Amino acid sequence: SLLLMLAAGLGTAFGAPSAQDILTASDAVRNPDFSFGLTNTLIEYRNGQQTDTSTLAIYSKADTSNGQYRNLVRFVAPARDANKLMLYSGKDLWFFDPGSKASIRLSPQQRLLGQASNGDVVTANLAKDYQAKVGAEEEIADGNRQKRRTTRLDLSASSPDASYNRIELW
């Protein structure tokens, strides 16, 4: 819509923004221009029943040299994982266990909990790692179960370091 184009500073009144422009605008909403932190709780369900949970404190800062983010992830809960750390800088991801004082290099593609990978919990600049194409216009239910008209973007990795080969983003 024209409002989206004007608000995001994309496109012109004569054409819709490109899929890559929409992805760039999405990155701008998810990733502010300043350092930030958040708490993320991952919940795993199997057959409709909660089976596991993990709470992470994530601290993020933009790396102006490459357009990506530097992240420090501190495990908060469960107690067995408290104070374990992951450091993500560029495409390097390191895990530190203070109990064993061991550091190991991880892949962003490795599973963290359930279907969530390490790369899912760190801040990412999707427009840098993926090429976007408009997939389809769809109606979906949002988190409040309200019907919303959406555009699905189909993302293809443009870097071998991307967390996934392909992503569908609404």
Side-chain angles (χ1 to χ4, degrees):
S1 76
L2 181 58
L3 181 59
L4 174 63
M5 292 185 319
L6 293 175
L10 304 171
T12 67
F14 303 108
S18 72
Q20 202 67 30
D21 288 340
I22 295 169
L23 183 58
T24 299
S26 169
D27 278 337
V29 170
R30 290 181 298 100
N31 305 324
D33 289 338
F34 50 85
S35 299
F36 64 96
L38 60 99
T39 301
N40 192 347
T41 300
L42 303 173
I43 303 172
E44 180 181 11
Y45 290 91
R46 290 189 188 168
N47 300 321
Q49 299 294 317
Q50 181 177 331
T51 59
D52 204 357
T53 185
S54 186
T55 301
L56 310 168
I58 303 167
Y59 309 96
S60 183
K61 180 180 181 179
D63 183 346
T64 56
S65 70
N66 63 14
Q68 291 293 352
Y69 291 84
R70 294 179 182 158
N71 293 260
L72 177 64
V73 178
R74 183 175 53 84
F75 290 70
V76 176
R80 71 178 182 268
D81 294 330
N83 297 317
K84 293 177 180 177
L85 301 170
M86 284 195 304
L87 178 65
Y88 186 67
S89 181
K91 294 300 172 194
D92 294 324
L93 180 64
W94 291 89
F95 174 80
F96 175 72
D97 182 350
S100 65
K101 294 186 172 50
S103 294
I104 59 170
R105 190 168 182 176
L106 298 176
S107 164
Q109 294 89 353
Q110 284 177 286
R111 295 288 175 219
L112 178 62
L113 177 70
Q115 293 299 309
S117 71
N118 295 322
D120 290 335
V121 299
V122 296
T123 305
N125 186 334
L126 296 176
K128 293 271 186 201
D129 287 339
Y130 295 90
Q131 287 298 312
K133 292 182 183 175
V134 173
E137 296 289 325
E138 300 175 348
E139 187 173 279
I140 63 169
D142 67 14
N144 296 320
R145 299 183 183 191
Q146 300 296 311
K147 296 288 184 179
R148 303 278 180 194
R149 189 87 185 134
T150 64
T151 300
R152 186 188 78 229
L153 297 180
D154 294 331
L155 310 182
S156 299
S158 58
S159 161
D161 295 324
S163 294
Y164 295 101
N165 289 328
R166 186 171 106 39
I167 296 176
E168 292 178 345
L169 180 70
W170 284 265

